[in-house]
Amino acid sequence: MDEGGICKRFAGRIRVYGLRHLRDEQAARDLVQQVLLATIEALRQARVQSPERIDAFVLGTARNIARDMRRSGVRQKRTAEKASAGLPEGWEPEWPRVDRIRLEGCLGGLEPRERVVVTMTFAEDRTAEEISEALSLTAGNVRVIRHRALARLRSCVEGGEA
Amino acid sequence: MTTCPVPFETLVRWWLDDLPQAESAALEEHLFACDTCSTASERLGDLVSGLREWIPPVISHARRDRLAREGKRIRLTPVDAGVNARARFDRDLDLLVHVLRGDLSRAERIDVEISRPEVGWRIVLEHVPFDRKAGEVLIACQRHYGDMFPGDPVFRVTVVEQGERRPLGDYRVIHELM
């Protein structure tokens, strides 16, 4: 796989990892740049011991850099500004964004209890256990309501029915 | 061992940090190696990101403070039941927050109905956040609501105390969109 192919294959996966662990779109994009650059430099210098397991190398690099970013966010963000200079031309894909107005319409199509669970989960950052206490449900029930609501929302924002 | 394809519920739990650490680490290894599952996770991630940025019509005081810390320009308007308040959405503002005030000292739960009686439109929001001590419910009014719900809605607040529902009052804000 050439350098462009590596960027294409892993950019989205690294962004997902960054969104999950850093919870910030810009920080996730910074992570993508830094991890891809570190991976490409390691390949150029033959420092990747098992190129056929490049996915494990990329994940390990993402974990290390994300941990450093959490410790010293500002310094790492500045470093990221320089990182894109070492990546192949046109490496960065168009990152998808959910249409906010459509999402609000889809939320309006949820059952009241689904909407409460989704709102408490994302807008109020509450865990399944905290929500279960507020709504007098079991945590297992909350998880079922939550993942069913998200499945409906995903279908709706991607063009299907709520 | 991670099941492939990864069940949707497992992906949801990973995104919400609701999986045991070892299971989460194994899943991440799989997501970096598997095209099908990484695509499914990216699709869910776009939705999760959208939901985390979404500002619901009723917000907690913690969310209001977080929005302010993030640089959102907010105008607070105190509103009392039965008294028309006025709020001007100037161009340099991101958000109007209407502070509905009342006695919530014994509230176990608050529901808010938002309606426009003259056009027959209404939405009921149950279990909304509130500050019992301050006696406040915060309505987050965003600029695009002007197109989605034109006019000035009525916010009807109901308090649940010891299992009984008690109307707190109707609140109205006259909006001026600049």
Side-chain angles (χ1 to χ4, degrees), chain B residues 9-45:
Chain B
E9 185 180 4
T10 306
L11 285 178
V12 170
R13 292 188 65 186
W14 178 72
W15 269 102
L16 296 174
D17 198 12
D18 193 23
L19 278 181
Q21 197 171 356
E23 197 178 336
S24 180
L27 177 62
E28 286 169 5
E29 286 171 23
H30 179 72
L31 291 179
F32 266 72
C34 176
D35 291 348
T36 304
C37 294
S38 68
T39 300
S41 180
E42 285 175 41
R43 286 172 60 205
L44 177 57

PDB file of all heavy atoms in Angstrom, chain B residues 9-45:
ATOM      1  N   GLU B   9     -25.565  -2.295  18.870  1.00  0.00           N
ATOM      2  CA  GLU B   9     -25.621  -1.918  20.282  1.00  0.00           C
ATOM      3  C   GLU B   9     -24.210  -1.837  20.889  1.00  0.00           C
ATOM      4  O   GLU B   9     -23.931  -0.977  21.730  1.00  0.00           O
ATOM      5  CB  GLU B   9     -26.475  -2.911  21.074  1.00  0.00           C
ATOM      6  CG  GLU B   9     -26.637  -2.476  22.519  1.00  0.00           C
ATOM      7  CD  GLU B   9     -27.484  -3.434  23.342  1.00  0.00           C
ATOM      8  OE1 GLU B   9     -27.895  -4.484  22.807  1.00  0.00           O
ATOM      9  OE2 GLU B   9     -27.703  -3.122  24.530  1.00  0.00           O
ATOM     10  N   THR B  10     -23.327  -2.735  20.454  1.00  0.00           N
ATOM     11  CA  THR B  10     -21.953  -2.710  20.975  1.00  0.00           C
ATOM     12  C   THR B  10     -21.235  -1.442  20.501  1.00  0.00           C
ATOM     13  O   THR B  10     -20.503  -0.804  21.273  1.00  0.00           O
ATOM     14  CB  THR B  10     -21.190  -3.964  20.507  1.00  0.00           C
ATOM     15  OG1 THR B  10     -21.936  -5.121  20.887  1.00  0.00           O
ATOM     16  CG2 THR B  10     -19.805  -4.030  21.124  1.00  0.00           C
ATOM     17  N   LEU B  11     -21.461  -1.076  19.247  1.00  0.00           N
ATOM     18  CA  LEU B  11     -20.856   0.162  18.742  1.00  0.00           C
ATOM     19  C   LEU B  11     -21.358   1.376  19.537  1.00  0.00           C
ATOM     20  O   LEU B  11     -20.583   2.266  19.885  1.00  0.00           O
ATOM     21  CB  LEU B  11     -21.186   0.358  17.259  1.00  0.00           C
ATOM     22  CG  LEU B  11     -20.436  -0.510  16.248  1.00  0.00           C
ATOM     23  CD1 LEU B  11     -20.923  -0.210  14.837  1.00  0.00           C
ATOM     24  CD2 LEU B  11     -18.929  -0.293  16.346  1.00  0.00           C
ATOM     25  N   VAL B  12     -22.666   1.378  19.813  1.00  0.00           N
ATOM     26  CA  VAL B  12     -23.238   2.489  20.604  1.00  0.00           C
ATOM     27  C   VAL B  12     -22.557   2.553  21.968  1.00  0.00           C
ATOM     28  O   VAL B  12     -22.148   3.625  22.432  1.00  0.00           O
ATOM     29  CB  VAL B  12     -24.761   2.319  20.761  1.00  0.00           C
ATOM     30  CG1 VAL B  12     -25.313   3.318  21.777  1.00  0.00           C
ATOM     31  CG2 VAL B  12     -25.471   2.487  19.412  1.00  0.00           C
ATOM     32  N   ARG B  13     -22.410   1.400  22.594  1.00  0.00           N
ATOM     33  CA  ARG B  13     -21.804   1.389  23.942  1.00  0.00           C
ATOM     34  C   ARG B  13     -20.344   1.825  23.875  1.00  0.00           C
ATOM     35  O   ARG B  13     -19.856   2.501  24.777  1.00  0.00           O
ATOM     36  CB  ARG B  13     -21.944   0.005  24.570  1.00  0.00           C
ATOM     37  CG  ARG B  13     -23.394  -0.344  24.904  1.00  0.00           C
ATOM     38  CD  ARG B  13     -23.509  -1.616  25.694  1.00  0.00           C
ATOM     39  NE  ARG B  13     -22.878  -1.476  27.007  1.00  0.00           N
ATOM     40  CZ  ARG B  13     -22.729  -2.480  27.870  1.00  0.00           C
ATOM     41  NH1 ARG B  13     -23.162  -3.690  27.549  1.00  0.00           N
ATOM     42  NH2 ARG B  13     -22.155  -2.277  29.028  1.00  0.00           N
ATOM     43  N   TRP B  14     -19.641   1.467  22.814  1.00  0.00           N
ATOM     44  CA  TRP B  14     -18.241   1.921  22.676  1.00  0.00           C
ATOM     45  C   TRP B  14     -18.206   3.443  22.539  1.00  0.00           C
ATOM     46  O   TRP B  14     -17.426   4.121  23.210  1.00  0.00           O
ATOM     47  CB  TRP B  14     -17.577   1.261  21.461  1.00  0.00           C
ATOM     48  CG  TRP B  14     -16.174   1.729  21.260  1.00  0.00           C
ATOM     49  CD1 TRP B  14     -15.084   1.410  22.029  1.00  0.00           C
ATOM     50  CD2 TRP B  14     -15.699   2.637  20.255  1.00  0.00           C
ATOM     51  NE1 TRP B  14     -13.966   2.062  21.550  1.00  0.00           N
ATOM     52  CE2 TRP B  14     -14.316   2.825  20.465  1.00  0.00           C
ATOM     53  CE3 TRP B  14     -16.312   3.308  19.191  1.00  0.00           C
ATOM     54  CZ2 TRP B  14     -13.526   3.650  19.659  1.00  0.00           C
ATOM     55  CZ3 TRP B  14     -15.533   4.129  18.390  1.00  0.00           C
ATOM     56  CH2 TRP B  14     -14.162   4.297  18.626  1.00  0.00           C
ATOM     57  N   TRP B  15     -19.084   3.974  21.686  1.00  0.00           N
ATOM     58  CA  TRP B  15     -19.091   5.427  21.481  1.00  0.00           C
ATOM     59  C   TRP B  15     -19.403   6.179  22.770  1.00  0.00           C
ATOM     60  O   TRP B  15     -18.962   7.308  22.968  1.00  0.00           O
ATOM     61  CB  TRP B  15     -20.110   5.804  20.391  1.00  0.00           C
ATOM     62  CG  TRP B  15     -19.480   5.829  19.035  1.00  0.00           C
ATOM     63  CD1 TRP B  15     -19.568   4.875  18.064  1.00  0.00           C
ATOM     64  CD2 TRP B  15     -18.618   6.842  18.518  1.00  0.00           C
ATOM     65  NE1 TRP B  15     -18.814   5.244  16.982  1.00  0.00           N
ATOM     66  CE2 TRP B  15     -18.231   6.443  17.223  1.00  0.00           C
ATOM     67  CE3 TRP B  15     -18.143   8.048  19.015  1.00  0.00           C
ATOM     68  CZ2 TRP B  15     -17.388   7.206  16.422  1.00  0.00           C
ATOM     69  CZ3 TRP B  15     -17.299   8.828  18.221  1.00  0.00           C
ATOM     70  CH2 TRP B  15     -16.929   8.404  16.937  1.00  0.00           C
ATOM     71  N   LEU B  16     -20.194   5.565  23.651  1.00  0.00           N
ATOM     72  CA  LEU B  16     -20.618   6.248  24.869  1.00  0.00           C
ATOM     73  C   LEU B  16     -19.787   5.836  26.083  1.00  0.00           C
ATOM     74  O   LEU B  16     -20.180   6.103  27.214  1.00  0.00           O
ATOM     75  CB  LEU B  16     -22.111   5.976  25.115  1.00  0.00           C
ATOM     76  CG  LEU B  16     -23.016   6.546  24.027  1.00  0.00           C
ATOM     77  CD1 LEU B  16     -24.459   6.136  24.246  1.00  0.00           C
ATOM     78  CD2 LEU B  16     -22.904   8.071  23.975  1.00  0.00           C
ATOM     79  N   ASP B  17     -18.648   5.200  25.841  1.00  0.00           N
ATOM     80  CA  ASP B  17     -17.747   4.800  26.929  1.00  0.00           C
ATOM     81  C   ASP B  17     -18.484   3.932  27.945  1.00  0.00           C
ATOM     82  O   ASP B  17     -18.341   4.105  29.148  1.00  0.00           O
ATOM     83  CB  ASP B  17     -17.166   6.065  27.610  1.00  0.00           C
ATOM     84  CG  ASP B  17     -15.922   5.736  28.429  1.00  0.00           C
ATOM     85  OD1 ASP B  17     -15.401   4.621  28.294  1.00  0.00           O
ATOM     86  OD2 ASP B  17     -15.496   6.603  29.217  1.00  0.00           O
ATOM     87  N   ASP B  18     -19.271   3.004  27.431  1.00  0.00           N
ATOM     88  CA  ASP B  18     -20.146   2.192  28.269  1.00  0.00           C
ATOM     89  C   ASP B  18     -19.778   0.710  28.144  1.00  0.00           C
ATOM     90  O   ASP B  18     -20.589  -0.162  28.407  1.00  0.00           O
ATOM     91  CB  ASP B  18     -21.607   2.445  27.825  1.00  0.00           C
ATOM     92  CG  ASP B  18     -22.636   1.921  28.813  1.00  0.00           C
ATOM     93  OD1 ASP B  18     -22.292   1.772  29.994  1.00  0.00           O
ATOM     94  OD2 ASP B  18     -23.774   1.642  28.378  1.00  0.00           O
ATOM     95  N   LEU B  19     -18.542   0.428  27.702  1.00  0.00           N
ATOM     96  CA  LEU B  19     -18.067  -0.955  27.598  1.00  0.00           C
ATOM     97  C   LEU B  19     -16.941  -1.168  28.597  1.00  0.00           C
ATOM     98  O   LEU B  19     -16.191  -0.228  28.888  1.00  0.00           O
ATOM     99  CB  LEU B  19     -17.488  -1.217  26.197  1.00  0.00           C
ATOM    100  CG  LEU B  19     -18.421  -1.540  25.035  1.00  0.00           C
ATOM    101  CD1 LEU B  19     -17.585  -1.781  23.779  1.00  0.00           C
ATOM    102  CD2 LEU B  19     -19.293  -2.747  25.322  1.00  0.00           C
ATOM    103  N   PRO B  20     -16.781  -2.391  29.124  1.00  0.00           N
ATOM    104  CA  PRO B  20     -15.601  -2.674  29.957  1.00  0.00           C
ATOM    105  C   PRO B  20     -14.317  -2.385  29.155  1.00  0.00           C
ATOM    106  O   PRO B  20     -14.296  -2.535  27.932  1.00  0.00           O
ATOM    107  CB  PRO B  20     -15.739  -4.170  30.255  1.00  0.00           C
ATOM    108  CG  PRO B  20     -17.173  -4.485  30.044  1.00  0.00           C
ATOM    109  CD  PRO B  20     -17.666  -3.551  28.976  1.00  0.00           C
ATOM    110  N   GLN B  21     -13.264  -1.977  29.871  1.00  0.00           N
ATOM    111  CA  GLN B  21     -12.047  -1.495  29.206  1.00  0.00           C
ATOM    112  C   GLN B  21     -11.436  -2.534  28.261  1.00  0.00           C
ATOM    113  O   GLN B  21     -11.035  -2.204  27.138  1.00  0.00           O
ATOM    114  CB  GLN B  21     -11.021  -1.098  30.268  1.00  0.00           C
ATOM    115  CG  GLN B  21      -9.929  -0.211  29.696  1.00  0.00           C
ATOM    116  CD  GLN B  21      -9.046   0.368  30.792  1.00  0.00           C
ATOM    117  OE1 GLN B  21      -9.292   0.157  31.981  1.00  0.00           O
ATOM    118  NE2 GLN B  21      -8.029   1.099  30.400  1.00  0.00           N
ATOM    119  N   ALA B  22     -11.377  -3.797  28.700  1.00  0.00           N
ATOM    120  CA  ALA B  22     -10.757  -4.833  27.861  1.00  0.00           C
ATOM    121  C   ALA B  22     -11.566  -5.045  26.584  1.00  0.00           C
ATOM    122  O   ALA B  22     -11.012  -5.201  25.490  1.00  0.00           O
ATOM    123  CB  ALA B  22     -10.652  -6.133  28.648  1.00  0.00           C
ATOM    124  N   GLU B  23     -12.891  -5.032  26.732  1.00  0.00           N
ATOM    125  CA  GLU B  23     -13.758  -5.215  25.562  1.00  0.00           C
ATOM    126  C   GLU B  23     -13.618  -4.035  24.601  1.00  0.00           C
ATOM    127  O   GLU B  23     -13.598  -4.196  23.379  1.00  0.00           O
ATOM    128  CB  GLU B  23     -15.209  -5.353  26.033  1.00  0.00           C
ATOM    129  CG  GLU B  23     -16.128  -5.945  24.993  1.00  0.00           C
ATOM    130  CD  GLU B  23     -17.548  -6.121  25.511  1.00  0.00           C
ATOM    131  OE1 GLU B  23     -17.755  -6.231  26.732  1.00  0.00           O
ATOM    132  OE2 GLU B  23     -18.452  -6.123  24.670  1.00  0.00           O
ATOM    133  N   SER B  24     -13.499  -2.843  25.181  1.00  0.00           N
ATOM    134  CA  SER B  24     -13.343  -1.635  24.373  1.00  0.00           C
ATOM    135  C   SER B  24     -12.020  -1.685  23.589  1.00  0.00           C
ATOM    136  O   SER B  24     -11.982  -1.380  22.388  1.00  0.00           O
ATOM    137  CB  SER B  24     -13.374  -0.413  25.297  1.00  0.00           C
ATOM    138  OG  SER B  24     -13.219   0.757  24.577  1.00  0.00           O
ATOM    139  N   ALA B  25     -10.943  -2.108  24.246  1.00  0.00           N
ATOM    140  CA  ALA B  25      -9.635  -2.177  23.583  1.00  0.00           C
ATOM    141  C   ALA B  25      -9.648  -3.204  22.457  1.00  0.00           C
ATOM    142  O   ALA B  25      -9.117  -2.952  21.358  1.00  0.00           O
ATOM    143  CB  ALA B  25      -8.559  -2.519  24.612  1.00  0.00           C
ATOM    144  N   ALA B  26     -10.281  -4.353  22.695  1.00  0.00           N
ATOM    145  CA  ALA B  26     -10.355  -5.387  21.657  1.00  0.00           C
ATOM    146  C   ALA B  26     -11.181  -4.903  20.469  1.00  0.00           C
ATOM    147  O   ALA B  26     -10.841  -5.151  19.307  1.00  0.00           O
ATOM    148  CB  ALA B  26     -10.969  -6.656  22.245  1.00  0.00           C
ATOM    149  N   LEU B  27     -12.245  -4.195  20.779  1.00  0.00           N
ATOM    150  CA  LEU B  27     -13.094  -3.665  19.712  1.00  0.00           C
ATOM    151  C   LEU B  27     -12.319  -2.660  18.857  1.00  0.00           C
ATOM    152  O   LEU B  27     -12.419  -2.657  17.622  1.00  0.00           O
ATOM    153  CB  LEU B  27     -14.348  -3.006  20.317  1.00  0.00           C
ATOM    154  CG  LEU B  27     -15.298  -2.334  19.327  1.00  0.00           C
ATOM    155  CD1 LEU B  27     -15.866  -3.344  18.337  1.00  0.00           C
ATOM    156  CD2 LEU B  27     -16.437  -1.656  20.061  1.00  0.00           C
ATOM    157  N   GLU B  28     -11.532  -1.809  19.490  1.00  0.00           N
ATOM    158  CA  GLU B  28     -10.743  -0.823  18.735  1.00  0.00           C
ATOM    159  C   GLU B  28      -9.765  -1.514  17.786  1.00  0.00           C
ATOM    160  O   GLU B  28      -9.581  -1.081  16.641  1.00  0.00           O
ATOM    161  CB  GLU B  28     -10.001   0.099  19.707  1.00  0.00           C
ATOM    162  CG  GLU B  28     -10.945   1.100  20.365  1.00  0.00           C
ATOM    163  CD  GLU B  28     -10.327   1.853  21.527  1.00  0.00           C
ATOM    164  OE1 GLU B  28      -9.118   1.674  21.776  1.00  0.00           O
ATOM    165  OE2 GLU B  28     -11.064   2.608  22.192  1.00  0.00           O
ATOM    166  N   GLU B  29      -9.153  -2.595  18.249  1.00  0.00           N
ATOM    167  CA  GLU B  29      -8.245  -3.339  17.363  1.00  0.00           C
ATOM    168  C   GLU B  29      -9.003  -3.851  16.148  1.00  0.00           C
ATOM    169  O   GLU B  29      -8.515  -3.782  15.017  1.00  0.00           O
ATOM    170  CB  GLU B  29      -7.599  -4.497  18.132  1.00  0.00           C
ATOM    171  CG  GLU B  29      -6.534  -4.012  19.116  1.00  0.00           C
ATOM    172  CD  GLU B  29      -6.047  -5.116  20.032  1.00  0.00           C
ATOM    173  OE1 GLU B  29      -6.183  -6.296  19.656  1.00  0.00           O
ATOM    174  OE2 GLU B  29      -5.561  -4.785  21.128  1.00  0.00           O
ATOM    175  N   HIS B  30     -10.200  -4.358  16.386  1.00  0.00           N
ATOM    176  CA  HIS B  30     -11.002  -4.865  15.274  1.00  0.00           C
ATOM    177  C   HIS B  30     -11.405  -3.731  14.324  1.00  0.00           C
ATOM    178  O   HIS B  30     -11.337  -3.887  13.097  1.00  0.00           O
ATOM    179  CB  HIS B  30     -12.241  -5.579  15.811  1.00  0.00           C
ATOM    180  CG  HIS B  30     -13.118  -6.112  14.718  1.00  0.00           C
ATOM    181  ND1 HIS B  30     -12.771  -7.208  13.949  1.00  0.00           N
ATOM    182  CD2 HIS B  30     -14.311  -5.680  14.234  1.00  0.00           C
ATOM    183  CE1 HIS B  30     -13.713  -7.428  13.045  1.00  0.00           C
ATOM    184  NE2 HIS B  30     -14.659  -6.511  13.195  1.00  0.00           N
ATOM    185  N   LEU B  31     -11.809  -2.591  14.895  1.00  0.00           N
ATOM    186  CA  LEU B  31     -12.272  -1.482  14.049  1.00  0.00           C
ATOM    187  C   LEU B  31     -11.152  -0.955  13.145  1.00  0.00           C
ATOM    188  O   LEU B  31     -11.404  -0.508  12.035  1.00  0.00           O
ATOM    189  CB  LEU B  31     -12.814  -0.333  14.919  1.00  0.00           C
ATOM    190  CG  LEU B  31     -14.116  -0.605  15.670  1.00  0.00           C
ATOM    191  CD1 LEU B  31     -14.516   0.603  16.514  1.00  0.00           C
ATOM    192  CD2 LEU B  31     -15.249  -0.954  14.708  1.00  0.00           C
ATOM    193  N   PHE B  32      -9.912  -1.020  13.606  1.00  0.00           N
ATOM    194  CA  PHE B  32      -8.808  -0.543  12.770  1.00  0.00           C
ATOM    195  C   PHE B  32      -8.465  -1.553  11.663  1.00  0.00           C
ATOM    196  O   PHE B  32      -7.845  -1.189  10.663  1.00  0.00           O
ATOM    197  CB  PHE B  32      -7.566  -0.230  13.628  1.00  0.00           C
ATOM    198  CG  PHE B  32      -7.502   1.208  14.033  1.00  0.00           C
ATOM    199  CD1 PHE B  32      -8.366   1.715  14.987  1.00  0.00           C
ATOM    200  CD2 PHE B  32      -6.590   2.080  13.442  1.00  0.00           C
ATOM    201  CE1 PHE B  32      -8.337   3.054  15.349  1.00  0.00           C
ATOM    202  CE2 PHE B  32      -6.556   3.427  13.798  1.00  0.00           C
ATOM    203  CZ  PHE B  32      -7.426   3.918  14.753  1.00  0.00           C
ATOM    204  N   ALA B  33      -8.867  -2.818  11.836  1.00  0.00           N
ATOM    205  CA  ALA B  33      -8.501  -3.847  10.855  1.00  0.00           C
ATOM    206  C   ALA B  33      -9.634  -4.174   9.879  1.00  0.00           C
ATOM    207  O   ALA B  33      -9.376  -4.699   8.799  1.00  0.00           O
ATOM    208  CB  ALA B  33      -8.081  -5.118  11.594  1.00  0.00           C
ATOM    209  N   CYS B  34     -10.875  -3.859  10.245  1.00  0.00           N
ATOM    210  CA  CYS B  34     -12.034  -4.349   9.478  1.00  0.00           C
ATOM    211  C   CYS B  34     -12.716  -3.195   8.730  1.00  0.00           C
ATOM    212  O   CYS B  34     -13.207  -2.246   9.356  1.00  0.00           O
ATOM    213  CB  CYS B  34     -13.031  -5.017  10.421  1.00  0.00           C
ATOM    214  SG  CYS B  34     -14.545  -5.537   9.603  1.00  0.00           S
ATOM    215  N   ASP B  35     -12.762  -3.298   7.410  1.00  0.00           N
ATOM    216  CA  ASP B  35     -13.372  -2.233   6.592  1.00  0.00           C
ATOM    217  C   ASP B  35     -14.863  -2.080   6.892  1.00  0.00           C
ATOM    218  O   ASP B  35     -15.372  -0.971   7.050  1.00  0.00           O
ATOM    219  CB  ASP B  35     -13.196  -2.548   5.099  1.00  0.00           C
ATOM    220  CG  ASP B  35     -11.741  -2.444   4.663  1.00  0.00           C
ATOM    221  OD1 ASP B  35     -10.933  -1.909   5.446  1.00  0.00           O
ATOM    222  OD2 ASP B  35     -11.413  -2.918   3.560  1.00  0.00           O
ATOM    223  N   THR B  36     -15.563  -3.212   6.970  1.00  0.00           N
ATOM    224  CA  THR B  36     -17.018  -3.158   7.153  1.00  0.00           C
ATOM    225  C   THR B  36     -17.379  -2.508   8.493  1.00  0.00           C
ATOM    226  O   THR B  36     -18.216  -1.602   8.561  1.00  0.00           O
ATOM    227  CB  THR B  36     -17.613  -4.587   7.119  1.00  0.00           C
ATOM    228  OG1 THR B  36     -17.221  -5.189   5.878  1.00  0.00           O
ATOM    229  CG2 THR B  36     -19.120  -4.575   7.220  1.00  0.00           C
ATOM    230  N   CYS B  37     -16.725  -2.962   9.553  1.00  0.00           N
ATOM    231  CA  CYS B  37     -17.079  -2.452  10.886  1.00  0.00           C
ATOM    232  C   CYS B  37     -16.594  -1.019  11.098  1.00  0.00           C
ATOM    233  O   CYS B  37     -17.246  -0.241  11.798  1.00  0.00           O
ATOM    234  CB  CYS B  37     -16.529  -3.383  11.967  1.00  0.00           C
ATOM    235  SG  CYS B  37     -17.304  -5.012  11.934  1.00  0.00           S
ATOM    236  N   SER B  38     -15.453  -0.671  10.493  1.00  0.00           N
ATOM    237  CA  SER B  38     -14.988   0.709  10.652  1.00  0.00           C
ATOM    238  C   SER B  38     -15.939   1.666   9.934  1.00  0.00           C
ATOM    239  O   SER B  38     -16.230   2.755  10.431  1.00  0.00           O
ATOM    240  CB  SER B  38     -13.550   0.885  10.141  1.00  0.00           C
ATOM    241  OG  SER B  38     -13.492   0.744   8.751  1.00  0.00           O
ATOM    242  N   THR B  39     -16.479   1.239   8.783  1.00  0.00           N
ATOM    243  CA  THR B  39     -17.448   2.092   8.077  1.00  0.00           C
ATOM    244  C   THR B  39     -18.714   2.268   8.920  1.00  0.00           C
ATOM    245  O   THR B  39     -19.242   3.381   9.041  1.00  0.00           O
ATOM    246  CB  THR B  39     -17.810   1.468   6.710  1.00  0.00           C
ATOM    247  OG1 THR B  39     -16.610   1.348   5.949  1.00  0.00           O
ATOM    248  CG2 THR B  39     -18.808   2.331   5.949  1.00  0.00           C
ATOM    249  N   ALA B  40     -19.181   1.174   9.530  1.00  0.00           N
ATOM    250  CA  ALA B  40     -20.381   1.263  10.387  1.00  0.00           C
ATOM    251  C   ALA B  40     -20.126   2.188  11.570  1.00  0.00           C
ATOM    252  O   ALA B  40     -20.986   2.994  11.949  1.00  0.00           O
ATOM    253  CB  ALA B  40     -20.769  -0.129  10.877  1.00  0.00           C
ATOM    254  N   SER B  41     -18.930   2.101  12.130  1.00  0.00           N
ATOM    255  CA  SER B  41     -18.609   2.946  13.284  1.00  0.00           C
ATOM    256  C   SER B  41     -18.503   4.419  12.874  1.00  0.00           C
ATOM    257  O   SER B  41     -18.923   5.314  13.613  1.00  0.00           O
ATOM    258  CB  SER B  41     -17.290   2.476  13.907  1.00  0.00           C
ATOM    259  OG  SER B  41     -16.969   3.273  15.008  1.00  0.00           O
ATOM    260  N   GLU B  42     -17.943   4.677  11.687  1.00  0.00           N
ATOM    261  CA  GLU B  42     -17.849   6.064  11.211  1.00  0.00           C
ATOM    262  C   GLU B  42     -19.234   6.663  11.006  1.00  0.00           C
ATOM    263  O   GLU B  42     -19.478   7.822  11.355  1.00  0.00           O
ATOM    264  CB  GLU B  42     -17.049   6.124   9.902  1.00  0.00           C
ATOM    265  CG  GLU B  42     -15.552   5.961  10.111  1.00  0.00           C
ATOM    266  CD  GLU B  42     -14.771   5.899   8.812  1.00  0.00           C
ATOM    267  OE1 GLU B  42     -15.092   6.670   7.887  1.00  0.00           O
ATOM    268  OE2 GLU B  42     -13.849   5.074   8.718  1.00  0.00           O
ATOM    269  N   ARG B  43     -20.156   5.857  10.453  1.00  0.00           N
ATOM    270  CA  ARG B  43     -21.526   6.363  10.233  1.00  0.00           C
ATOM    271  C   ARG B  43     -22.178   6.710  11.566  1.00  0.00           C
ATOM    272  O   ARG B  43     -22.805   7.766  11.720  1.00  0.00           O
ATOM    273  CB  ARG B  43     -22.372   5.318   9.514  1.00  0.00           C
ATOM    274  CG  ARG B  43     -22.030   5.172   8.036  1.00  0.00           C
ATOM    275  CD  ARG B  43     -22.772   3.988   7.435  1.00  0.00           C
ATOM    276  NE  ARG B  43     -24.217   4.117   7.524  1.00  0.00           N
ATOM    277  CZ  ARG B  43     -25.058   3.082   7.519  1.00  0.00           C
ATOM    278  NH1 ARG B  43     -24.609   1.853   7.446  1.00  0.00           N
ATOM    279  NH2 ARG B  43     -26.359   3.285   7.590  1.00  0.00           N
ATOM    280  N   LEU B  44     -22.014   5.837  12.536  1.00  0.00           N
ATOM    281  CA  LEU B  44     -22.591   6.115  13.856  1.00  0.00           C
ATOM    282  C   LEU B  44     -21.889   7.315  14.496  1.00  0.00           C
ATOM    283  O   LEU B  44     -22.525   8.154  15.146  1.00  0.00           O
ATOM    284  CB  LEU B  44     -22.458   4.879  14.749  1.00  0.00           C
ATOM    285  CG  LEU B  44     -22.945   5.031  16.192  1.00  0.00           C
ATOM    286  CD1 LEU B  44     -24.407   5.455  16.240  1.00  0.00           C
ATOM    287  CD2 LEU B  44     -22.742   3.731  16.961  1.00  0.00           C
ATOM    288  N   GLY B  45     -20.583   7.400  14.299  1.00  0.00           N
ATOM    289  CA  GLY B  45     -19.820   8.508  14.883  1.00  0.00           C
ATOM    290  C   GLY B  45     -20.274   9.867  14.376  1.00  0.00           C
ATOM    291  O   GLY B  45     -20.303  10.840  15.130  1.00  0.00           O
TER     292      GLY B  45
END
